[in-house]
Amino acid sequence: MTRWGILATGHIAARFVEDLRLVPDAELVAVASRTPESAQLFAEKHRVPRAYGSWAELAADPEVDVVYVATPHSAHHAAAMTCLSAGRAVLLEKPFTLDAASSRELVETARAAGVFLMEAMWMRTNPLILRLVELIAEGAIGTVTSVQADFGVPGPFPPEHRMRARVLGGGALLDLGIYPISLAHLLLGVPQHIRSWAKIGPEGVDENTGVVLGYDSGAVATLSCGIIGATPLVASVTGTTGRIDLPAPFFRPDSLTLHRAGAEPETISAEVPGGGYQYEAIEVQRCLAEGLLESPLVPHSTTLEVMTLLDTIRGQIGVDYDA
């Protein structure tokens, strides 16, 4: 049995907790917030045995094996460091932190302490995304030449909302853009060329962002994200002999459509119960059972490469989270 603690009590924490109930051998034992009242309310609603009014108390609980950190981006580093320093394994919401340097510090801390750490990039643990990777490795569409993906939501969000608040790491890029960028990275690796543009809102964060990634192989990735309009939320991967389409939302697909040259389209489906967050929890538990310090599905190197990409894009579009 793997004993889970939840750090934070917002919307994402609640969704994760509901999906955790779908995971064999997972036990939710504690929750923590910055206030005892918030922790207690969450505990009562989600039937959590223990509620703590501080992160440190949760991290010190010897009956917690792993902590899922679901705070706003700006608190990821401090929350994860609190848990890692206490020897607790951590599943840390994406993006890891606000920049690559602080993400690297977390990875180095975890490695030095011999503690498991994984980014909660749940897309990379989805069974249909794993099947997509297999099909490409099998040569189903030849050599990948293009990746297209979008993630835009309509809002509107008030200035103090985490999607717009600069102090919370707001904007489209880190919260939404990380998905299409991570998909491109998963399939094509680190790009050699990066071009991006964004409309910056009054709060100083990106409202609508476009990114083109170029690869010396000749492949390109055209990606977009935004918080001012609902986009299709789909993705398409084109190769020299075919194409694979992912339906909305592409980051949590329950099917994919394979178009082979000269053949009828083939739809591959898989049942994805709940919200789809359970797969990252299953991966964490598998890694802990095997004594791994990082996941082969979401390795530290991938997290740091994507964070470095996000840093470069932020530099190009002029978004800086330093207050």
Side-chain angles (χ1 to χ4, degrees), residues 232-250:
L233 307 184
V234 297
S236 185
V237 184
T238 301
T240 51
T241 62
R243 187 180 81 248
I244 299 174
D245 294 331
L246 294 171
F250 76 85

Side-chain angles (χ1 to χ4, degrees), residues 9 114 122 238 253-254 266:
T9 56
W122 54 305
T238 301
D254 55 12
E266 176 186 354

Side-chain angles (χ1 to χ4, degrees), residues 295-314:
S295 162
L297 293 183
V298 195
H300 297 159
S301 58
T302 287
T303 292
L304 295 178
E305 286 169 1
V306 170
M307 287 305 307
T308 300
L309 260 174
L310 293 171
D311 277 5
T312 301
I313 295 167
R314 283 198 303 110

Side-chain angles (χ1 to χ4, degrees), residues 4 22-24 277-287:
W4 286 82
L22 303 174
V23 179
Y277 293 94
Q278 66 270 27
Y279 299 113
E280 61 184 355
I282 290 170
E283 173 64 5
V284 169
Q285 293 188 179
R286 184 190 70 82
C287 291

Side-chain angles (χ1 to χ4, degrees), residues 80-287:
M81 193 64 79
T82 297
C83 296
L84 293 172
S85 299
R88 301 285 165 250
V90 172
L91 174 63
L92 178 60
E93 254 310 324
K94 55 82 202 160
F96 230 41
T97 63
L98 295 182
D99 56 44
S102 54
S103 292
R104 192 171 296 108
E105 184 180 2
L106 287 182
V107 168
E108 291 171 352
T109 297
R111 288 175 175 171
V115 179
F116 177 84
L117 172 66
M118 173 179 146
E119 182 179 20
M121 178 41 75
W122 54 305
M123 177 182 71
R124 293 181 67 109
T125 63
N126 180 284
L128 266 302
I129 295 295
L130 297 179
R131 183 63 182 132
L132 168 70
V133 173
E134 288 177 350
L135 286 168
I136 291 172
E138 293 166 2
I141 60 171
T143 301
V144 175
T145 60
S146 172
V147 174
Q148 297 170 289
D150 66 85
F151 193 171
V153 296
F157 302 103
E160 67 276 9
H161 192 280
R162 70 175 183 84
M163 295 295 288
R164 280 195 174 273
R166 184 179 172 208
V167 69
L168 297 179
L173 182 64
L174 292 195
D175 200 271
L176 309 178
I178 191 172
Y179 286 102
I181 289 168
S182 291
L183 181 67
H185 180 278
L186 175 64
L187 302 178
L188 292 170
V190 177
Q192 287 71 54
H193 313 278
I194 305 168
R195 296 291 183 271
S196 49
W197 174 92
K199 179 183 183 298
I200 305 302
E203 299 82 14
V205 299
D206 61 308
E207 293 183 335
N208 203 29
T209 302
V211 177
V212 178
L213 305 179
Y215 300 81
D216 286 348
S217 66
V220 296
T222 53
L223 318 167
S224 68
C225 57
I227 57 173
I228 55 173
T231 63
L233 307 184
V234 297
S236 185
V237 184
T238 301
T240 51
T241 62
R243 187 180 81 248
I244 299 174
D245 294 331
L246 294 171
F250 76 85
F251 46 85
R252 183 209 172 275
D254 55 12
S255 69
L256 58 82
T257 302
L258 171 60
H259 303 264
R260 298 180 192 262
E264 289 295 314
E266 176 186 354
T267 297
I268 301 171
S269 302
E271 183 180 356
V272 180
Y277 293 94
Q278 66 270 27
Y279 299 113
E280 61 184 355
I282 290 170
E283 173 64 5
V284 169
Q285 293 188 179
R286 184 190 70 82
C287 291

